[in-house]
Amino acid sequence: MVNKELLIKEIESLPSELLTEAFDFIRFIKVSHAKRQLKDDTSSNLNTQQQIEKNLYPLHNTQPYNYDNPTEPVALEDWEFLQ
């Protein structure tokens, strides 16, 4: 837990222009780790690339929401959170 707290402190102290680079680096580490795990896992039915994509992009090939008239006004009774 100490490592996580140190990492959070470092991220909080970064200038905003470096946050994107830090995020990209963290994603790179996760992808590298996923690749190593999949190489070791021989029981997987999917090939390595498919498994990596499935883990990294869980919403891929899912149905998106469809908004027919997104700029049309909404009546107060249609707002679920107000009820």
Side-chain angles (χ1 to χ4, degrees), residues 20-36 52 56-57:
T20 303
E21 283 187 54
F23 178 74
D24 289 342
F25 181 67
I26 291 170
R27 294 293 292 185
F28 169 77
I29 293 171
K30 287 177 74 172
V31 169
S32 297
H33 181 70
K35 285 180 181 179
R36 280 193 303 265
I52 291 170
L56 292 178
Y57 308 107

Side-chain angles (χ1 to χ4, degrees), residues 13-68:
S13 70
L14 279 176
S16 59
E17 57 270 2
L18 292 179
L19 287 175
T20 303
E21 283 187 54
F23 178 74
D24 289 342
F25 181 67
I26 291 170
R27 294 293 292 185
F28 169 77
I29 293 171
K30 287 177 74 172
V31 169
S32 297
H33 181 70
K35 285 180 181 179
R36 280 193 303 265
Q37 277 187 328
L38 289 172
K39 283 182 182 179
D40 295 339
D41 184 18
T42 57
S43 64
S44 176
N45 292 337
L46 298 175
N47 70 30
T48 303
Q49 187 62 32
Q50 288 174 328
Q51 188 66 37
I52 291 170
E53 288 177 5
K54 182 179 176 187
N55 290 339
L56 292 178
Y57 308 107
L59 297 178
H60 185 71
N61 290 330
T62 60
Q63 294 296 324
Y65 286 107
N66 186 19
Y67 296 104
D68 296 326

